[in-house]
Structure formats: C-alpha cells, structure tokens
Amino acid sequence: MSGSDWEEVKRLAADFQRAQLSASSQRLTERNCIEVVAKLIELKLLDVIFTNNGKEYITPQQLIKEIRDEIFVRGGRINLVELAESLNVDLSQVTARATEIERSDAGVNIVLGQLIDKTYTHRVAEEINDHLIAHGQVSIGDLTRQYDLPSEYLLSLVEKNLGKVIFAKQDKEDHRLFFTEAFVARNKCIVRGALTAITQPTTLTAILSQCGIEKKDFLVAFDSLHESKQIAGILSNRQSNTCLFIPHVYSKAQSEWVNNFYKQNGYLGVLAQILPSVFDVTDGEEILKTALKNCGATSATQIFCNSYLVTDQFLQHLMKPVNEELVHKKAEQAVVSGAYQQAQIELRNSKNTSSKVDNEEEKFDKRDERRRKAAVGKAGGGAQGRETKTKSAKKKHQKNRVEESDSEDEVSVKKQEANRLLQIINNEEIKPILLREQSFQDEELEEFVNEIAAYVLPIVNKSAIAEAQQIFESRVVSDTQSRRKLHSELQEKINMLMNDIRLYEKGLKQFPVKDTQTQLTKYLLKTIGTDIVNGIFSFVAQENCTQHDNVKELTVEMRQKICSEIGKELRDPLSKLNKTLVGNSLEEFMSILESVLSSIDLVIRKPDKKKDRPQMLAHKQVLLQQMMNSDDPALVLHLATLVIFQCATQSMLHASGRFVSTVLQFLRSHLSEDDYQVLQKFHDMVLKLLTLKEEDNQIEEIEKALRENMTAVKNIANNYKKSTNKDEKAS
C-alpha cells in the first residue's frame, strides 16, 4: 500500500469518526460500515484479518503483537492450536504469523506445533543443570519424557549450552548421556576402591552389586581410571554377561609361574582349574588355538594331548639325539639291506598302476559314450524304447562307475602302502631316547610322550629317507665312476687280448699238421678266449645286478646262469659266445665276439700293424727274462722253445708245456744238429724226471744233469736270437 493510499484511508477514517460523533442523522449504519470495509478490502486498500465469529477485524501487526504477548504470558512456550483459540483467530493465520516471527527472531522456534522462545530454552537449560547438580547425570531420553520435546532438539539444546549454562561432560560412547565431574569422581573413587581390593578374577555382576552403581556408570569410571593407569587390571568380554575383571597381580603371578615352567621344561600343560567346569579338554584346545593365533605364536608352538603347549625349540631339542643316533645309522642299513631301493621300485610301480587306471578310465568313458549312442539309435522313435535303453545304460554306467571308484581306492591304498614300506624308524626306537629327557620322568606323562613320539616320527623318518637318498645317490655316483673305469679297463684289456690272439694265430698257422693247429687253437680259446669272455660276462652281470655280479672266476655253469638272468637282446649272443670256447674256430669266436662287444658299447680298435713288431720284441724280452730268472728245468725248456720259435718264424706262439715236444720237432729244421741234440736231451731228462717217483734213486742224478745243462739251453735261446739278428741284418 502506497503512502497516498494510506493517507486516503486515514482521511476516510477521520470522516468515519466524525460521522459517528455527529448527530444520529449523520451516522452510518452497521451494515454500511461492513460494506465500506468490504469495499476497502476488495480494493486492497485495507489489510485486516477476520476473527472466527466474523464480528471483529484485526490487523496482521496487531496479531503478531498479541502472539508475542501470549508467548510471554505462557512462559515462552505455547501450542499454536491453543494460541488460535485464545486469540479467536483461524489457525492458519496464527501459523503464518508464527512462521514470520520464527524467521525474524532467532530466539523463537516452532517445534512440533509449539512456539518456543529463548526465555523458555534458557530456563530449560538451567533446569537441566540443576538436575545434573542434584543427580550427577542426565540422559536425553529422560529429558524427552520430562519436557515432551523431540530428543534431537533437546540434544542440540544441551550441546549448545554446555560450558555456558549446563556444566557437564558428554559421554564419549553414548552421546545422549551427560554427567558432571563430581559424579564421575565419586564413581571413580568407588570403582577404584573396589577393584584395588580384588586379587583374583571376579565377575562384573558381583562388582556392580557390591558397588551399587549402574553398569554404564561403572564402565565410564573404569575407562577413565584405566586411561590414567590408576587400575591394575583388565575387563574381558565387557559386552557379555560373563564379563570378568582380571587384576594384573593375578595375571603376573600366573604368567611368572607359566613362564618359569615353560622355560625350564620347554612345554606347558594347561591348568584345568582356570577353565569353567562346563568346559572339557577339547574346548581347552580350541581356546589354546585361539590364544596362540591372537598372539601370533601358532607357527612356533604345538599343542599335544589337547592341553600341552610345546615350543618348536623344545621339539628340536628332543629330535637332536634321535637324529644323531638313529637317522644315519638306520638310513645306511636301509640302503645296504636294499629296503630303500625296494620301496622306490614299489612306489614307481604304484605310480604306473595309477597311470594305467587313468588310461582305463578314459577308455571306459569312450566305450560308455559309444554304447549310449548306439542304445539311443536302436530304440527307435517310441518313448518306451528310449526309456528302456536309457535305464539300461544308466545301470551299466553306475556299475562301471562303482568298479572305477574301487580301482581308484585301490591305487590310493597302494600308494599309502608304498609310503609305509619305507618306515626306516619306528616309535619303539624313538621313545627310549625321548624318555632320557629329565622332564619326562613322571609316569603321568606317558601319553604326552607317546604323542611327542608320534609327532616326531614322520619328521625323523623323512630325514632318514633323505639321508638314505643321499647315501644311495653317493653310492650310485661311486658305482657309476667305478663302472666307467671298469668299462674303460675292460675295453683296453679286450683290445689287447684280441690283438694277442691275432698274433698267436699267425704263429700256430706255422705248423703244417692240421691237428696241431686245432689243438693250439683250442688251447688259445681255453686260455685267452676264456679271459675275454669272463671279462664280458662279469661286466654284463654287474650292469644287470645279477647274483654273480661280484664273482671273479666264472665257470661255464655260472656263465649260463648269467645268460638266463639278463634280457633276450644279450642272452642269445652271449650264449653263442660261450659255446665258441669249446669249439676250435678262431674265426667264429672273433665274429661273435665283435657282435657282442658292439651290443655292450665296447669299442674295437682297428689293428695297428706298426705296433706288432714292438709288441713281439717286448714279448720275447719278457720270455727271456722269465727264462733267465727261472731254475725250473721244465719251465726253462718251455720258455726256450717259445723264444726260439718266435725268433725262427718271426711270430708269437701261445702253447702250454705239453706242446714242447711238438714245437721241438718243428724247430729241428731251424736249429743246428748240436743245438737240437742239447735241447732234445734236456727234454728227455725233463720227461724222465716227471715220470719218476719220489723214492727213485735216479732223481738226484737227473736233477744234477739238468742243472749242468740248463745254462747251455739258455745260451742256445740267447745265441739263436743273436744269430737271427745277424741274419736279418745281412739280408
């Protein structure tokens, strides 16, 4: 409304007043007044509010003034409904004016349809503070019930007035609880006195009944005292009904006893008296596991008999003498006896069985799939046919599945049995060593010792298996090196003997008589040939770990036995080679020998004829040396004939003493008549000496004659050599 309009209203009002004060002939009727006011309201020249009965008008400013007056009269708090009834104005008009008051005045609020000003809130704050002084604490819930106001509004009111009107502290855990310092101090004194007197674990219920305070007040006082380190103890399970106060003096005494026992013995039995009567040993074990997990000691501590704690350090202490006295000893015995090797073989066999079962399972799955497809195809279009075949297939499938499951179980059992076969150390060997421990002397600890032994056994046995493996591998390495050396030595020996046979074969072919060649060939096979074959058979026996792998001198029967114990790929050629020793063909022997040597990876060197002459000269030198050093007439004659034969024919001869007569007869054309007669006479005396009996009187005379002629025989061999050298030089 503008200023001019308002002035017009004032003039009209003045005219209206004058009209009322004038004589009755100039006064307006009530109806006219109503029409005038209605016209002014219609022209928006007048802003008034009708009362509920419509007989009175009131301006908004007047309504606001009357509302403020009512608030003051009612003590700062009034319900808007009651206010509307008191002012005889519509509730909507009162609510609108109250909202304007709330916006314009920061000390006035509308709360749940009630108009509240700052005088009321200040009085409420003072009342709360008085309550705190009287009772020490107050909760928002109590204030809500007392003042019939929202808890959030009251909480905000108290928080705003803390330290100003309300002198209290707000609970850290329950923000809707407030208490005074004096209340806390009083509770702290009560709690501190009660807890200081406790020397053993006590339930919180008993403490509260003794102190006469609420649980929440107790916890507030306890937290404050515990934070300032005025209480020597802790609360366990504080949120449950089984909450306990455990004083430090009790924990310290118990801890000292436990630590002393633990340090002294290396293990600890849980005391049954610290567990409730409803708990059994299994519950105690679960408690121990949880405690160890919480303190991070699970990996360094073991639990035995549900109630004994044992450190790994103590277990290592117990295992040390077991390792020192049993592990190496039993591991070596297992390797020497062959138990370790046998267990490894059976373990490999079990793995092969498992692989075979897997293959069978795969084959079965494929067959089963084919059968089911075939069954569906044969059933035709009828539903009954398909159902019948399907059921049949299912039954077969289930049956085979059961068999398959049984096979898998058998494989699993075989694997376990293979592992158990390698039980190098047993409990009965461990227990006596464990019982030497001083702390195990008590008979009541027998079950505990048994569990310790059962725990230690797999660890120690694993160490023994590892030790056995090292011993076995070291022996394998040693055997490998030995076999390589044997292989090299045998290869060198056989090549040398084969070359000797080649040179000796050239010598025996000097004899014109076929029978003589045959006899010398048989002797060559019987001696040098047998040496070669025995070397080969011994090598094969060691490679195949037969019963004759350590026999040095092999008989024909032994060689046949070795053939029966080896694989077929070597059995046939070795059998043929063994048979050639009783034959009379060097060609056959050498041919089969080369085939056998190739089968066992022995390399045959190609003969080097350049080395033949040095070898022959060395051979003669050996024969001469033996002859000159010998005093045996028969041996001297034997060696002399061999030397003369080699010098005369430029070939070596391998012959025994019984061939001396034949060789002398062959050499007659290569000797002078005098030399031949000397050798023949010496030969006859040797034969006569060998045929005489010990009591014959001629023995001494013959022996004397042989000694006298021995030098002449040796000189013939030496001189023949020299003359041969001269002839060679002349030629």
Side-chain angles (χ1 to χ4, degrees), residues 57-87:
Y57 303 98
I58 185 172
T59 62
Q61 291 77 11
Q62 182 63 27
L63 181 58
I64 291 174
K65 179 178 180 302
E66 291 183 5
I67 290 174
R68 289 184 181 274
D69 293 341
E70 285 294 326
I71 293 174
F72 178 77
V73 172
R74 299 292 183 95
R77 174 181 178 182
I78 186 172
N79 192 291
L80 294 179
V81 176
E82 295 177 359
L83 182 60
E85 292 177 355
S86 176
L87 297 177

Side-chain angles (χ1 to χ4, degrees), residues 4 73 154 197 211 295 349 425 433 528 550 556 603 614 653 691:
S4 60
V73 172
L154 289 171
C211 296
C295 66
N349 292 339
I425 301 174
I433 300 176
I528 299 178
N550 291 320
V556 176
V603 179
L653 180 64
T691 57

Side-chain angles (χ1 to χ4, degrees), residues 184-206:
V184 174
R186 182 171 64 253
N187 288 343
K188 286 168 65 175
C189 291
I190 295 173
V191 172
R192 181 169 56 240
L195 298 184
T196 303
I198 295 175
T199 58
Q200 62 182 6
T202 306
T203 62
L204 180 59
T205 305

Side-chain angles (χ1 to χ4, degrees), residues 250-269:
Y250 175 82
S251 300
K252 183 178 181 182
Q254 189 180 49
S255 179
E256 287 180 355
W257 184 89
V258 169
N259 289 334
N260 291 335
F261 186 89
Y262 203 37
K263 290 178 181 178
Q264 182 178 355
N265 300 287
Y267 68 92
L268 176 67

